Amino acid sequence: MASEFDLIEQYFTRRPRHAELGVGDDAAIVRSSPDHELVISTDLLVEGTHFFSDVEPESLGWKVLAVNLSDMAAMGATPRWATLGCVLCPGLGDGDPPAPTGAPSSSGSWLEQFSRGFFACADHYDVDLIGGDTTRGRSGATTFSVTIIGEVPHGVALLRGGAQVGDDIWVSGTPGRAALGLAHLQSRTELNGAHLAHCLTALQRPTPRIELGLALRKVATSAIDISDGLLADLGHLLKASGASAKLQIAGLPDAGLARDAYLSGGDDYELLFTSPPALASEIVALGQSLELPLQRIGAVCHGQPGTLSVFDQHAANITPKRRGFDHFS
Amino acid sequence: MASEFDLIEQYFTRRPRHAELGVGDDAAIVRSSPDHELVISTDLLVEGTHFFSDVEPESLGWKVLAVNLSDMAAMGATPRWATLGCVLCPGLGDGDPPAPTGAPSSSGSWLEQFSRGFFACADHYDVDLIGGDTTRGRSGATTFSVTIIGEVPHGVALLRGGAQVGDDIWVSGTPGRAALGLAHLQSRTELNGAHLAHCLTALQRPTPRIELGLALRKVATSAIDISDGLLADLGHLLKASGASAKLQIAGLPDAGLARDAYLSGGDDYELLFTSPPALASEIVALGQSLELPLQRIGAVCHGQPGTLSVFDQHAANITPKRRGFDHFS
């Protein structure tokens, strides 16, 4: 088996574009921009909990970074630097499975494909991989840990706690797609055509809403990504803001898996944000310029902090009991 | 089982002293000092590879942070902020084992004890825990990932690549203690008295040499910590510096476990550094002021980059074949 140092050198050492010193010393060195704050987040992706052992490694490499970039988007920050910790385990990520006959595009070792996806995401969002650690673990326990560091001008970061009573509540894209894609892969539902493709892309190669986050600095009072599910993350935002909310969502699917996925499906990387009603037309225009649907789904109101109610098109209360995804529940 | 959010709130949420925003939003926000560079490092600690399931949790909490602080020491950086990723697994880190009768000092849940050790180290070195992630994993695969961020004035960080031919090579403390402590626990040797205590402390509650690293900015040409073992890390330093080295170490133990541990034992967090011979008396004085032994163990010389030779007190070449510890070998 290749040594730890060989693996790092072979797959993860690239000359950084925005760092004084990258992979290869005891630590990396970077210089932050004047008059900016640093925005820092860490996420874990664990085999069996966040991905399966038969996951396509290039997509996983993309996703491992993308879910962290989503946290930068939710803060209105520009992502700059990342570190990557890899616990590689027998059966996944430690060998060179033979390429399927006639499938040269999937050739190369698991780790090579993983790193290709990781750097595709890093390049797309202009992020430098500046360090990390690689070690071996037990079968079935492959784990990735990414820390992302971004920058935001002093005092303009988007926080969870800024929502005001009367604000509109908005969400980007179509929540629930990742959960539906997972349900399809687990044969709990059957999707097809473009809808299937959208749901699998949302699950396997999510798009962090970096551009949206940067644009929201000027118009949003609060923001969060909905990686724990729309209602759960809205609950976190409302609790931090000391407010309640009423939701009435045009086009919300009828009761069943699709509605549950929309309201409570985890693993979505859309942004949920609040904004004064006077800015609604600006937000509609922003969605058009980004070619990203932005939908008003409700309003912030007085009430017990963190609580919320969901109404259907007939104004009947349909608030579900289970709000979202918790690895420990 | 407690939810992910409860665990974070209960054990890992403390008001940061040096951050604009700590745990609890999509990301943390910090402000770096003017005219300083950021120094960033990530380390993984994995059950079965870096610690055993019966490890004392308070010591492990200390060590998880301390090994990262050691990277800051090796760069001459002041540690400031840390993030912590925890993959908690059945059998360790996810339950509340009953406290042994008559041992109230070890009461409290595993995670509570772990966090106590982590914060003891954080407080001692004035580091803020500003974020992280907690998730569940498979039995036997408990994993911790720490990213540490420090600061150093522009241009004065200690790098691996600065050693000059003719420089002295120095090491702090007594290398090999952690490996000997581990050998004792595994019944491969039997230590006792103060020596046993020193070795177990080195293994379980290592001291990152932060003060030494800060002082070395003025006198060292290069530095590295010896977490992979003295010879392996000296090899990394020499390779980066394009030089070779000859070692002759006063007091090196005779052939056997003690010598192997000194030269090749991993998990030591002493610093190895190089410095011009003219500064030798300053370094001796520095060791006295820090009450930390600093020993000259050799010199940098011309030769194939990364190579080195070790001689005993009779000038016989005793260079061992195996240099250090590699999780993948």
Side-chain angles (χ1 to χ4, degrees):
Chain A
M1 186 182 265
S3 89
E4 176 179 358
F5 306 109
D6 292 344
L7 290 174
I8 293 170
E9 197 148 313
Q10 188 170 357
Y11 296 119
F12 295 110
T13 307
R14 299 204 327 190
R15 181 178 295 276
R17 287 167 297 186
H18 309 295
E20 309 305 308
L21 185 70
V23 174
D25 210 299
D26 290 280
I29 301 178
V30 304
R31 292 190 183 176
S32 60
S33 307
D35 304 320
H36 280 63
E37 295 171 319
L38 297 166
V39 183
I40 302 162
S41 177
T42 293
D43 268 311
L44 297 165
L45 271 85
V46 177
E47 184 180 351
T49 301
H50 302 94
F51 61 89
F52 300 114
S53 58
D54 62 353
V55 66
E56 202 274 300
E58 190 168 337
S59 293
L60 183 64
W62 172 283
K63 183 170 177 174
V64 159
L65 182 56
V67 303
N68 279 269
L69 294 178
S70 179
D71 287 319
M72 295 293 101
M75 302 293 288
T78 305
R80 299 287 310 275
W81 307 286
T83 66
L84 171 64
C86 304
V87 183
L88 303 175
C89 302
L92 185 147
D94 70 332
D96 286 44
T101 316
S105 67
S106 69
S107 67
S109 74
W110 197 97
L111 210 54
E112 184 183 346
Q113 293 175 57
F114 176 89
S115 75
R116 196 185 306 141
F118 186 93
F119 281 118
C121 188
D123 289 345
H124 188 84
Y125 295 97
D126 201 19
V127 169
D128 269 340
L129 179 67
I130 56 167
D133 195 9
T134 307
T135 189
R136 187 160 52 172
R138 250 176 222 211
S139 181
T142 296
T143 297
F144 299 98
S145 172
V146 171
T147 296
I148 183 89
I149 303 175
E151 293 187 310
V152 69
H154 272 174
V156 306
L158 295 168
L159 307 185
R160 297 179 177 186
Q164 303 294 320
V165 169
D167 278 354
D168 289 336
I169 299 171
W170 297 80
V171 71
S172 68
T174 307
R177 280 181 170 171
L180 285 176
L182 180 64
H184 175 88
L185 293 181
Q186 294 176 330
S187 304
R188 289 185 285 116
T189 190
E190 196 177 330
L191 311 176
N192 45 50
H195 184 50
L196 172 60
H198 288 314
C199 290
L200 290 181
T201 298
L203 177 68
Q204 295 167 341
R205 212 177 164 93
T207 300
R209 302 301 186 189
I210 296 291
E211 278 187 295
L212 175 61
L214 295 177
L216 288 179
R217 285 178 190 167
K218 294 181 196 157
V219 289
T221 52
S222 71
I224 192 169
D225 78 355
I226 56 170
S227 52
D228 294 320
L230 190 150
L231 296 190
D233 281 310
L234 176 56
H236 298 150
L237 183 148
L238 293 168
K239 196 174 172 194
S241 297
S244 181
K246 285 180 186 159
L247 301 186
Q248 193 166 14
I249 305 168
L252 182 69
D254 291 336
L257 181 66
R259 182 194 280 179
D260 290 348
Y262 188 103
L263 295 176
S264 307
D267 225 9
D268 271 322
Y269 298 93
E270 300 296 346
L271 295 188
L272 185 140
F273 57 96
T274 58
S275 179
L279 298 179
S281 59
E282 271 193 54
I283 289 172
V284 170
L286 173 63
Q288 286 164 347
S289 76
L290 295 176
E291 297 182 9
L292 174 65
L294 299 179
Q295 185 181 359
R296 183 189 171 284
I297 59 169
V300 180
C301 59
H302 288 291
Q304 193 182 332
T307 61
L308 55 86
S309 309
V310 187
F311 299 90
D312 68 11
Q313 68 267 39
H314 313 295
N317 190 322
I318 55 165
T319 310
K321 281 191 178 156
R322 185 171 167 279
R323 273 196 182 173
F325 183 69
D326 181 338
H327 304 303
F328 281 89
S329 65
Chain B
M1 186 183 265
S3 90
E4 177 178 1
F5 306 108
D6 291 344
L7 290 174
I8 293 170
E9 197 148 312
Q10 188 169 358
Y11 296 120
F12 294 112
T13 307
R14 299 204 327 192
R15 181 178 294 278
R17 287 166 298 184
H18 310 295
E20 309 305 308
L21 184 70
V23 173
D25 212 298
D26 290 278
I29 302 179
V30 304
R31 293 191 182 174
S32 60
S33 306
D35 304 320
H36 280 63
E37 296 172 318
L38 297 166
V39 183
I40 301 162
S41 177
T42 293
D43 268 311
L44 297 165
L45 271 85
V46 177
E47 184 181 350
T49 302
H50 302 93
F51 61 89
F52 300 113
S53 57
D54 62 353
V55 66
E56 201 274 300
E58 190 168 336
S59 293
L60 183 63
W62 172 283
K63 184 170 177 174
V64 158
L65 182 56
V67 303
N68 279 270
L69 294 178
S70 180
D71 287 320
M72 296 293 100
M75 303 293 287
T78 305
R80 299 289 308 277
W81 306 287
T83 67
L84 171 65
C86 303
V87 184
L88 302 176
C89 301
L92 183 146
D94 72 331
D96 287 43
T101 315
S105 67
S106 68
S107 67
S109 74
W110 197 97
L111 209 55
E112 183 184 344
Q113 294 175 56
F114 176 89
S115 74
R116 197 186 305 142
F118 186 93
F119 282 118
C121 188
D123 289 345
H124 189 85
Y125 294 98
D126 201 20
V127 169
D128 269 340
L129 178 68
I130 56 168
D133 195 8
T134 307
T135 188
R136 187 162 51 174
R138 250 177 222 210
S139 181
T142 296
T143 297
F144 299 98
S145 172
V146 171
T147 296
I148 183 91
I149 303 176
E151 293 187 311
V152 69
H154 273 174
V156 307
L158 295 169
L159 307 185
R160 296 180 177 185
Q164 303 294 320
V165 170
D167 279 353
D168 289 335
I169 300 170
W170 297 80
V171 71
S172 68
T174 308
R177 280 181 170 172
L180 285 176
L182 179 63
H184 175 89
L185 292 181
Q186 294 176 329
S187 303
R188 290 185 284 116
T189 189
E190 196 178 329
L191 312 176
N192 46 51
H195 184 49
L196 172 60
H198 289 315
C199 290
L200 291 180
T201 298
L203 177 68
Q204 297 167 338
R205 211 177 166 94
T207 300
R209 302 301 186 189
I210 296 291
E211 278 187 293
L212 175 61
L214 295 177
L216 288 178
R217 287 177 188 168
K218 295 181 194 158
V219 290
T221 52
S222 71
I224 192 168
D225 78 356
I226 56 169
S227 53
D228 294 320
L230 190 151
L231 295 190
D233 281 311
L234 177 55
H236 298 149
L237 183 149
L238 293 167
K239 196 173 173 193
S241 298
S244 180
K246 285 180 185 158
L247 300 186
Q248 194 166 14
I249 306 168
L252 182 69
D254 291 336
L257 180 66
R259 181 193 280 178
D260 291 348
Y262 188 104
L263 295 175
S264 306
D267 223 10
D268 271 322
Y269 298 93
E270 299 296 345
L271 295 187
L272 185 139
F273 57 96
T274 58
S275 180
L279 298 179
S281 60
E282 272 192 54
I283 290 172
V284 170
L286 172 61
Q288 286 164 347
S289 76
L290 296 176
E291 296 182 10
L292 174 66
L294 299 178
Q295 185 182 359
R296 184 189 171 281
I297 59 169
V300 181
C301 59
H302 288 290
Q304 193 182 333
T307 61
L308 55 85
S309 308
V310 188
F311 299 91
D312 68 11
Q313 68 267 39
H314 312 296
N317 190 324
I318 54 165
T319 310
K321 281 189 177 159
R322 185 171 168 278
R323 272 198 184 173
F325 183 67
D326 182 338
H327 304 303
F328 281 89
S329 64

